[in-house]
Amino acid sequence: MDDLAATNRTDGTSGAAATPADTPTDPAATPDTVGGPGTDSGPGTDSGPMPGGRAQPKTDKSEQTRALILETAMRLFQERGYEKTTMRAIATEAGVSVGNAYYYFSAKEFLIQGFYDRMTYDHAAEARNRMAHTRNFAERLEIALTSWLDTAAPYHEFAAQFFRTAADPTSSLSPFSNESHPARATAVELFRDVLQGSELAPKLDAELGELLPDVLWLHLMVVVLYWVFDRTEDTERTREFVRRSTPMAARVINLSRYRVFRPIVRDAKGLIQDFILPTIGKTAVK
């Protein structure tokens, strides 16, 4: 029943819209609601929801509560599967009220957005650490893609359930939506570092260099799609796809700096600007 209630909360608001039955009426009823609205301890101090129905933490305690709910959900999704895990079960395991669980994630589906945010941050940190000592562009790109596979590996068993929800192009949970902009911006910035930290960056056309981070992120999305449906051991086929496609992508990008290929580069730049970037939420088309 709590998941049915969750469906009624998918209007982009935070859990403040929860029904009276789910929302604690006594601020002292549970440890994570002490203080209530207007104080400096508890969810009530947050200024409003993040995009996609996620509450924006403003205190260490509220950030800890949000992280606890998300970590608990990820564990239960692994143990029980996404479909069989309810918001009530997540709240119980996390030791918080159902109302507070809905405050931070207005529906179970919005935990996917939290999953994106956290995994993208972890992936970027791991990739930067691994590629710190190489300037070869192809190597840096392969490191960035392989790091994503390693970071996502623990979640592969139920990835299809996550991405089935996110694959709807009209969903706010789509990787291309405005609501997914924070996670996507983190990933695009990583690919900007992949390029700018390489020996290739100074040799490229400046305008093309500005577009490439978004294009490289789209390359990652192709890898993610292949990974979701890969049932080989340790997703070996996806890893082989990365190993073989990365040098090819690097060669094409490297060739773009030669004058003879400039007309093709200009045509490709126009296609990217006119047809690809406009489909990505909050992406400026220059």
Side-chain angles (χ1 to χ4, degrees), residues 56-123:
Q56 175 67 63
K58 289 296 182 183
T59 67
D60 289 343
K61 183 173 178 60
S62 62
E63 175 57 36
Q64 290 169 5
T65 302
R66 184 179 183 276
L68 173 62
I69 294 169
L70 181 59
E71 289 167 6
T72 302
M74 294 301 104
R75 176 172 59 80
L76 292 181
F77 292 158
Q78 288 178 284
E79 293 174 358
R80 307 178 186 181
Y82 176 75
E83 297 294 345
K84 294 182 179 179
T85 302
T86 65
M87 284 292 281
R88 186 172 299 279
I90 293 167
T92 300
E93 287 284 324
V96 302
S97 68
V98 176
N100 271 335
Y102 279 128
Y103 178 86
Y104 288 101
F105 300 95
S106 62
K108 187 176 74 170
E109 290 79 3
F110 288 115
L111 285 158
I112 298 174
Q113 200 65 264
F115 168 72
Y116 286 160
D117 294 342
R118 190 180 72 173
M119 198 175 76
T120 302
Y121 177 85
D122 291 345
H123 164 229

Side-chain angles (χ1 to χ4, degrees), residues 87-275:
M87 284 292 281
R88 186 172 299 279
I90 293 167
T92 300
E93 287 284 324
V96 302
S97 68
V98 176
N100 271 335
Y102 279 128
Y103 178 86
Y104 288 101
F105 300 95
S106 62
K108 187 176 74 170
E109 290 79 3
F110 288 115
L111 285 158
I112 298 174
Q113 200 65 264
F115 168 72
Y116 286 160
D117 294 342
R118 190 180 72 173
M119 198 175 76
T120 302
Y121 177 85
D122 291 345
H123 164 229
E126 179 64 18
R128 287 189 174 101
N129 182 58
R130 292 188 190 185
M131 67 184 183
H133 303 295
T134 180
R135 284 181 50 79
N136 181 275
F137 174 71
E139 292 177 9
R140 289 171 69 86
L141 180 56
E142 183 172 344
I143 288 170
L145 297 174
T146 302
S147 296
W148 189 92
L149 296 176
D150 293 339
T151 303
Y155 310 105
H156 186 254
E157 288 303 313
F158 57 86
Q161 299 174 36
F162 271 108
F163 288 97
R164 181 175 63 206
T165 303
D168 181 353
T170 65
S171 171
S172 63
L173 303 180
S174 165
F176 298 89
S177 69
N178 284 338
E179 290 82 359
S180 294
H181 176 71
R184 185 173 59 252
T186 298
V188 170
E189 191 60 30
L190 168 64
F191 286 109
R192 192 177 306 279
D193 288 351
V194 168
L195 179 63
Q196 292 182 348
S198 74
E199 86 294 351
L200 184 59
K203 305 172 185 178
L204 294 178
D205 176 90
E207 288 187 289
L208 183 61
E210 277 298 306
L211 294 175
L212 275 176
D214 284 293
V215 175
L216 295 175
W217 175 79
L218 290 171
H219 185 127
L220 173 62
M221 291 298 98
V222 173
V223 171
V224 170
L225 182 63
Y226 195 93
W227 174 83
V228 167
F229 296 100
D230 186 357
R231 290 297 176 261
T232 58
E233 185 175 357
D234 194 29
T235 58
E236 181 54 37
R237 285 186 63 84
T238 306
R239 294 177 185 276
E240 182 62 19
F241 175 76
V242 168
R243 283 191 289 268
R244 293 175 60 177
S245 66
T246 301
M248 185 185 306
R251 282 196 295 271
V252 170
I253 293 170
N254 186 54
L255 286 173
S256 71
R257 64 194 178 94
Y258 293 106
R259 187 178 301 276
V260 68
F261 293 105
R262 286 299 172 84
I264 299 175
V265 171
R266 284 195 295 270
D267 288 345
K269 177 175 174 287
L271 284 172
I272 292 168
Q273 288 182 313
D274 296 340
F275 293 97

